[in-house]
Amino acid sequence: MKAHWADPLLVNMTVRCRLLILIQPLPAHPRAYLLDPLFAEHYGLVHPHPRYDQLIEYEGKRIPGLCIYSASEFEYDPRRDDISKFLNQLTIYTARHLVWLRTRQLFRGFPPNGVLLRVLLPGETLINDMPSVVFAGDPRRMIMLDYWSGYWPGPTARAFNPATHLKFIGPNQQCWCGSGSTYKSCHRPLDKAKLAISR
Ligand SMILES: [Zn+2]
């Protein structure tokens, strides 16, 4: 098998995870939260798709939901029941997230075009990974952030933002958000509005 640049970093990858799963009234899919290692509120700056619309307060921390469908291949396999689909997607998402944690690199400016400042040592776990605000020159004008941004392995979702949601999800297919409703009666109007604003 061909070597990957991230291979040396992925040592001692047997990590015990604590997940909180909230069952929703049908037809909605369950929601998932990673309690340990904690999925921090600030990851959203550089992480694929935390669900800030599903933010909860738990044990004194604000934790976004995991967007297990839209941040992966996004497929609702009709041969599987929703719980199996959910657990399947959740397992893949969590494994990818552990790789993301171990492959993070510190960038000044938004990755991948920002300046690379630091890489992790093999197996190193970050204690403080809050993005920092850096003032350069005139502090009123130049604000740069340092981000720890990791590698998200495997295929990226075909549908991961309003434009691709609208392109790949039919109006009568299930919505990407896990509500169990059809796309047209859930996020489609909102995605259309967001796309219109961004143009
Ligand atoms: Zn939706």
Side-chain angles (χ1 to χ4, degrees):
M1 220 163 77
K2 227 174 117 207
H4 190 278
W5 66 262
D7 287 349
L9 296 169
L10 303 178
V11 297
N12 302 328
M13 289 300 288
T14 308
V15 179
R16 187 186 289 264
C17 294
R18 195 157 65 102
L19 286 145
L20 174 69
I21 294 171
L22 301 180
I23 304 294
Q24 306 294 307
L26 289 172
H29 297 240
R31 295 180 177 188
Y33 299 87
L34 185 55
L35 306 179
D36 187 30
L38 180 70
F39 194 104
E41 190 184 358
H42 64 261
Y43 284 172
L45 287 166
V46 283
H47 197 282
H49 286 240
R51 291 290 301 269
Y52 286 104
D53 59 328
Q54 297 178 351
L55 195 75
I56 56 164
E57 281 205 34
Y58 188 83
E59 294 174 346
K61 297 180 190 86
R62 287 156 57 90
I63 311 176
L66 307 179
C67 191
I68 64 164
Y69 293 111
S70 191
S72 62
E73 284 98 328
F74 180 72
E75 53 175 74
Y76 294 116
D77 183 344
R79 291 163 303 176
R80 286 174 185 267
D81 65 277
D82 282 352
I83 293 292
S84 306
K85 275 180 239 177
F86 171 81
L87 292 175
N88 202 26
Q89 295 272 128
L90 177 59
T91 308
I92 295 168
Y93 184 101
T94 307
R96 286 177 166 175
H97 175 71
L98 294 177
V99 171
W100 184 86
L101 286 174
R102 290 294 183 83
T103 55
R104 284 186 290 171
Q105 300 175 320
L106 185 64
F107 286 92
R108 176 150 302 169
F110 203 78
N113 298 320
V115 179
L116 180 61
L117 300 180
R118 228 197 101 187
V119 296
L120 291 179
L121 300 170
E124 186 179 355
T125 308
L126 283 179
I127 305 297
N128 182 10
D129 54 11
M130 279 293 281
S132 61
V133 181
V134 177
F135 296 101
D138 181 349
R140 286 167 304 175
R141 296 187 59 209
M142 293 275 287
I143 299 172
M144 292 198 290
L145 294 174
D146 291 352
Y147 302 91
W148 281 103
S149 174
Y151 167 62
W152 191 254
T156 311
R158 288 197 311 157
F160 56 87
N161 61 23
T164 48
H165 288 158
L166 287 162
K167 187 174 173 194
F168 289 112
I169 306 172
N172 293 315
Q173 282 182 284
Q174 269 201 52
C175 188
W176 56 266
C177 73
S179 65
S181 305
T182 57
Y183 184 40
K184 70 179 178 201
S185 58
C186 194
H187 273 85
R188 194 165 187 265
L190 197 65
D191 280 344
K192 276 181 127 171
K194 278 187 180 165
L195 193 64
I197 290 168
S198 67
R199 280 193 170 152

